[in-house]
Structures are given as C-alpha cells and as structure tokens.
Amino acid sequence: MNIADYNFAYLDEQTKRMIRRAILKGIAIPGYQVPFASREMPMPYGWGTGGVQITASIIGPDDVLKVIDQGADDTTNAVSIRAFFKKVADVAVTTETAKATIIQTRHRIPEYPLRAGQTLVYQVPIPEPLRFLEPRETETRKMHALEEYGLMHVKLYEDIAKHGRIATTYAYPVKVEGRYVMDPSPTPKFDNPKMHMSPALQLFGAGREKRIYAVPPFTEVVSLDFEDHPFEIQTFDQPCALCGAENVYLDEVILDDKGGHMFVCSDTDHCEKRQAEGHRGHLAPEAMEPAE
Amino acid sequence: MTDEPLLRVSALSKYYGARLGCEDVTFDLWPGEVLAVVGESGSGKTTLLNCLSTRLTPSSGGVSYRMRDGSWRDLYRMSEAERRFLMRTDWGFVHQNPADGLRMTVSAGANVGERLMAIGDRHYGNIRSTAVDWLSRVEIGKDRIDDEPRSFSGGMRQRLQIARNLVTGPRLVFMDEPTGGLDVSVQARLLDLLRGLVTDLGLAAIVVTHDLAVARLLSQRMMVMKDGYVVETGLTDRVLDDPRAPYTQLLVSSILQV
C-alpha cells in the first residue's frame, strides 16, 4: 500500500479535532479524566494507543519526536512508535531529550529537565487511581465529582500496615492543583516530584480505557501521604555502573546466571550523554559503542 | 435529652411502580432513642429504612433531620455531597450481611479508619490507635487489626461493621437485621454489645428486625408493619405484653417458646 494514502499522522482530521477538544478540556481541568472516542490503531492495546493518538493529534511537520519506553530509546515499543510517526507524519525524530518538542513516554520522565514548549505524552494503561479499591465506574466518577478521596488513603494505610512504610513504588497517586486525584500512569514514584511545577505540558492518554487527562505547565502536583509517613522517592545505594550518575533512576540488569547484576540508568539518553562527556561507572567499557 | 426530636418523618410513602412499598408512615425519633421496626418479610420494613437513610427516594412525604448545629434540613432537598457527608459522619448503616458494609479486601484497621480518612484525618498513628481502641470496644483482639475481614467469623464481621460505623461518633444509626444470619449465642453477645454501645454513646437508632426478642432487648419504642402500613406503634414492652392490633397479637403469639 502506498503510504501517501494516509492522512498526515495517520488519524483523519475529524478524529484529531475530537481528540484535541478532549485535550483542551483536560488542560482546562487539570487532572480530570476526559472521556474520548478512542480509535483502533494499527497496534494492539497496551502498546500505547492512547499516547499515540494524542501524539498524532498534536504533532506538526516541524515537530521533533522522541519516544521512550521505560526510559530507553532503543526498546521495541519506542522503536516501533518512532518508526510509525516517521512513516505517517514524516517528522524528525531524535533520542535527545533537549532537542525533542514532543516526548512520548511509557513510564518515565527524562532525567534531563524539561523546558517550556516541550510536551510530554504519557501512555496510560489504567487512568483511574481508585480502580482497585472501587470497581464501579459510576461510583468512582461520583467520588471524583464530590472530591471524596478518603479511599485513596485507605490504600496507603494498607501499605503501611502491611509493610511498615508506603510500599507503592509506581502509579503513586497525586493531587493536581488541590482538586483532582490522578494516577500519574505507572511511572516510578521517583518521577513524581518532576511533575510538580513542570514547565512542560504533560498529556496522558489511555486508549483502551478511552480517557485523556492533562497537567498544564506550572501546575501543583502533590503526592499523597500521611503526616507521620511523608512521601519519599526511591534512593539507590550505588551510582550507575556505566556513567557513574547519582540521584537518577536505575534499572537492575542481570549479567549472568551466577547472581551477577548491575544498576544502570533507566534513561539511556542521559546515560549516553554522560558517557560521551567522559563520565565512567565501574563497569563501563573503555570505548563506547554507538547506540543506534 | 433535648426537647426536640432528631428525625421527623411525615406521611412517607414509597411505591415501586404500582406496587406498594410502604404507605403513610409518620413518626418522630428522639435523640438517644432506639426504635424497632418489626413485621414479616415483605411488610415494607426495609423499604422504609432505605427511604429514611436516603438510599431510596420516597414517592411522597418528607424526612427532616436536625443537624449538629440545630438546624432542620429536608433530607431530599440536600445536595448529594452534603447527604453523602452526613451519611459517613453523623450516620451509620449496619447491613444484615457484613460483606455489604465492609471492604472485604482491606484490613480490619483500614475498614475502621476509612471514615476518619474520609473526613480528612491524615495521621497514620492516630488513625491506627483509634482503630485499635474501637476494635477492642467491639471485642476484636488487637492482633487481628491487620487481618482482612474475609478471615473473620460472621459475628466478628458484624462487630467490625459496627465499629466501622461508630468511629466518627454518629448520632443516628440505621440497622437492617443486625443479628440475622448469626447463631443464637453469637446473637446474644452481639445484642449485649450493641445495647452497651447504644447506651454509652447515647445513640439514636432505627433497627429493622423480624426478631421480636431483638426488639425487646434493644428498643424503647416499636413500630409494627404489615403490607406496607404501620399497624401499631407504642412502647416496646407495652406492644409486646399487650398487643392491640390483630396482626400484632398474631405476631406475638407466634413466638416459639423453648
């Protein structure tokens, strides 16, 4: 089939308008889940169809797109989505956080600080933070409408009662602009503070659940907690094994079947940048291999 | 006792389409008073209870409630937010089946603490000590605080449900067959406990039951319903010892003597 048969960025213009309206409503009511008519995309649910639809609706010919999957630019999901937009929108793509105008992400916020004008698009599997405590959609909607969020703390209470601390490490609930409680998608709670007062626009798309929500730039995003068990992010007791970075989110990589493992930056772009600048961790190779 | 009632019910009727649920029920409930609603299955007791607790909207008639600040509010003119707030602070609702009133997948402590967190308590230590205190008041051991109600016996679940409802210090509790489905010895203990709590806390309660013994033990006043109508009201001891309506006479004489 000829690729010219596709409309720019795959979706037809009416669909894009519909999605843009949902995005605008989401931006106007920070943290509120706006229903939208999610379309079939040429990839399965769970691959980021919500994020892809948002990206397709906001992308223009001059945009520069970066796609990450768990922080990495070179995994299947990231590579496929990047290739998809290269094909259907003919846009420039990059792996460099600083150069991108749109960053579609699955579960990480890049380590490099985002700036005004950039848009972060999240792929969201389950947009409803109250879902596992209250299975009825009619009831959760009512709870959002009436600001009845006591139940969210029941979950955190259970964590402390069972584990002695708040053991939720990802999809950690946040309150946006003092009103709506929002699930920040399964990003590690390490990234929660980065959402607070971010200069970049953050958009969340859940394709299967048909919801879009947003955090506009410079919006208050507060992680829920107890007075005597305050919110805290993960800490790591060793630096990245490749670039020696500290205070970044690390992934554990198994090296052999004898218990060997190392911790490396989850953000590959950040790690490669640092290695190019000459930073070395204790397992870093002497000569760098090109990433792509 | 104050000189004003807590709840005023006037000419309350509920129809399910053409079918009658309950018809023309009028009464006042005073602070600290326990009212038993008795009658056979299908007599409209539960419909009445659900209408009073705003879980159902009546077809006609009104219910007004004296708020903590002394003002009278029509329950059906309140906004949903106010009504739900009232239900989880000033009211309690004890279901016949504890699974309906409990969150079965979270621990006993969280079940008791939920109402506290819902009204803005954000101190884990305080919530937990309140939960421990309430569990001991309903005779559940401190060591069970982190267990899920699924692992509890029927009687324990019912007591947990009571604790969960009473933790915010409500003034009015609705109970729908609180002892239904429990065996006799557990029933006796639960009734003992309930009677103690109701007296200590000065709770007003509306108890729906088909068990006249429960009514005798818990309530001061009693309302007998049949086919949606109230056939007799009066002090519990008077109604049970000297029933006037033919149906009440039948009901009282139907009690099995052991």
Side-chain angles (χ1 to χ4, degrees):
Chain A
M1 195 194 289
N2 186 355
I3 201 70
D5 292 340
Y6 285 106
N7 189 31
F8 176 76
Y10 188 77
L11 292 174
D12 63 275
E13 293 304 314
Q14 287 308 312
T15 299
K16 286 193 215 168
R17 288 186 64 182
M18 175 272 293
I19 294 174
R20 286 174 198 147
R21 276 198 293 267
I23 293 173
L24 287 174
K25 185 168 180 183
I27 293 170
I29 318 172
Y32 172 70
Q33 300 168 46
V34 185
F36 79 111
S38 179
R39 297 290 192 252
E40 288 282 328
M41 296 304 282
M43 61 187 74
Y45 284 140
W47 279 55
T49 52
V52 167
Q53 289 178 76
I54 289 188
T55 302
S57 307
I58 62 171
I59 204 164
D62 302 330
D63 273 314
V64 182
L65 180 70
K66 171 182 162 82
V67 184
I68 50 173
D69 173 5
Q70 309 283 2
D73 293 280
D74 52 3
T75 53
T76 319
N77 194 280
V79 171
S80 325
I81 293 174
R82 200 159 53 225
F84 175 75
F85 280 111
K86 213 170 163 180
K87 201 169 186 177
V88 299
D90 196 25
V91 291
V93 294
T94 182
T95 58
E96 279 182 60
T97 306
K99 283 188 184 157
T101 55
I102 298 173
I103 303 167
Q104 183 169 333
T105 173
R106 174 169 175 262
H107 315 173
R108 276 308 312 282
I109 298 174
E111 305 290 356
Y112 188 84
L114 300 176
R115 60 180 154 74
Q118 285 182 311
T119 304
L120 193 58
V121 178
Y122 295 76
Q123 304 168 198
V124 180
I126 297 162
E128 179 50 71
L130 301 162
R131 179 57 68 237
F132 291 107
L133 296 148
E134 178 51 69
R136 290 167 296 178
E137 175 71 15
T138 47
E139 187 65 16
T140 53
R141 282 206 205 184
K142 199 167 273 178
M143 289 161 86
H144 282 294
L146 301 176
E147 233 182 314
E148 288 179 5
Y149 290 130
L151 198 52
M152 212 63 252
H153 274 86
V154 171
K155 179 177 155 45
L156 303 179
Y157 171 98
E158 279 293 276
D159 265 4
I160 304 174
K162 285 204 177 103
H163 307 287
R165 65 198 163 83
I166 299 179
T168 304
T169 52
Y170 67 96
Y172 192 102
V174 293
K175 196 163 208 180
V176 183
E177 205 65 13
R179 177 59 178 86
Y180 282 97
V181 165
M182 181 185 96
D183 183 346
S185 91
T187 49
K189 67 177 173 184
F190 182 88
D191 287 339
N192 275 16
K194 293 182 199 163
M195 307 179 77
H196 178 63
M197 290 293 162
S198 168
L201 170 64
Q202 304 174 72
L203 302 175
F204 300 77
R208 180 183 48 211
E209 302 286 327
K210 303 177 174 57
R211 293 289 184 277
I212 284 173
Y213 49 106
V215 175
F218 303 105
T219 300
E220 197 180 78
V221 178
V222 181
S223 304
L224 301 181
D225 59 3
F226 284 104
E227 287 157 16
D228 47 347
H229 286 268
F231 171 76
E232 49 194 24
I233 59 173
Q234 292 103 329
T235 52
F236 299 89
D237 42 18
Q238 45 185 306
C240 168
L242 295 179
C243 75
E246 286 174 355
N247 301 321
V248 294
Y249 193 73
L250 301 180
D251 284 340
E252 185 181 8
V253 177
I254 306 290
L255 298 174
D256 51 38
D257 59 0
K258 298 177 185 66
H261 65 136
M262 66 172 180
F263 285 94
V264 295
C265 288
S266 127
D267 186 336
T268 52
D269 172 57
H270 183 73
C271 197
E272 282 161 16
K273 276 258 161 42
R274 281 181 52 89
Q275 290 180 65
E277 286 164 9
H279 298 284
R280 285 288 180 274
H282 69 284
L283 287 175
E286 278 314 303
M288 272 270 293
E289 292 170 44
E292 238 183 332
Chain B
M1 277 216 182
T2 53
D3 48 1
E4 264 195 304
L6 189 63
L7 188 77
R8 269 194 186 127
V9 184
S10 56
L12 191 80
S13 300
K14 172 72 186 171
Y15 283 87
Y16 299 101
R19 188 161 294 131
L20 172 67
C22 61
E23 170 81 30
D24 197 24
V25 179
T26 302
F27 69 91
D28 287 348
L29 186 77
W30 295 77
E33 181 187 36
V34 180
L35 172 76
V37 182
V38 300
E40 59 191 10
S41 300
S43 60
K45 318 186 286 283
T46 303
T47 298
L48 175 65
L49 192 76
N50 285 339
C51 284
L52 296 178
S53 58
T54 71
R55 294 153 60 84
L56 274 180
T57 313
S59 314
S60 65
V63 182
S64 42
Y65 180 71
R66 187 160 56 81
M67 310 293 281
R68 280 181 195 244
D69 62 6
S71 64
W72 282 94
R73 297 292 303 274
D74 183 337
L75 291 180
Y76 303 102
R77 294 240 172 84
M78 287 169 113
S79 71
E80 188 168 19
E82 285 178 295
R83 213 156 57 207
R84 284 170 69 111
F85 184 75
L86 186 71
M87 283 181 84
R88 61 169 189 259
T89 53
D90 220 14
W91 288 6
F93 197 105
V94 178
H95 295 261
Q96 174 172 12
N97 179 3
D100 295 340
L102 292 172
R103 280 189 200 281
M104 298 302 278
T105 51
V106 302
S107 68
N111 263 296
V112 177
E114 181 178 344
R115 275 177 163 227
L116 296 174
M117 294 183 247
I119 56 173
D121 203 329
R122 292 289 177 265
H123 192 285
Y124 175 81
N126 294 353
I127 294 169
R128 197 164 169 88
S129 56
T130 313
V132 169
D133 177 42
W134 267 101
L135 289 178
S136 72
R137 289 172 83 160
V138 296
E139 298 164 20
I140 295 176
K142 200 178 166 181
D143 54 325
R144 301 303 300 272
I145 186 169
D146 292 331
D147 292 347
E148 289 179 8
R150 276 191 294 212
S151 67
F152 285 10
S153 70
M156 278 175 87
R157 286 181 190 184
Q158 198 56 289
R159 280 179 275 141
L160 178 62
Q161 196 193 175
I162 290 164
R164 172 184 161 88
N165 274 287
L166 296 188
V167 67
T168 48
R171 294 190 300 160
L172 174 59
V173 180
F174 300 97
M175 298 187 210
D176 190 3
E177 307 273 8
T179 57
L182 301 176
D183 67 62
V184 220
S185 59
V186 176
Q187 260 193 37
R189 258 180 78 196
L190 187 76
L191 284 172
D192 226 29
L193 177 80
L194 265 179
R195 194 159 59 159
L197 285 172
V198 166
T199 328
D200 289 351
L201 303 169
L203 288 176
I206 297 178
V207 185
V208 159
T209 180
H210 57 252
D211 189 338
L212 293 178
V214 170
R216 171 85 92 174
L217 270 172
L218 281 181
S219 68
Q220 288 103 38
R221 207 149 56 94
M222 187 162 159
M223 217 156 80
V224 184
M225 291 188 74
K226 170 143 178 60
D227 300 333
Y229 292 89
V230 175
V231 292
E232 183 162 1
T233 58
L235 296 177
T236 304
D237 291 339
R238 203 281 293 154
V239 174
L240 291 177
D241 295 340
D242 176 23
R244 286 179 193 166
Y247 175 70
T248 318
Q249 290 169 0
L250 180 76
L251 201 67
V252 171
S253 62
S254 311
I255 302 175
L256 291 176
Q257 300 296 331
V258 191

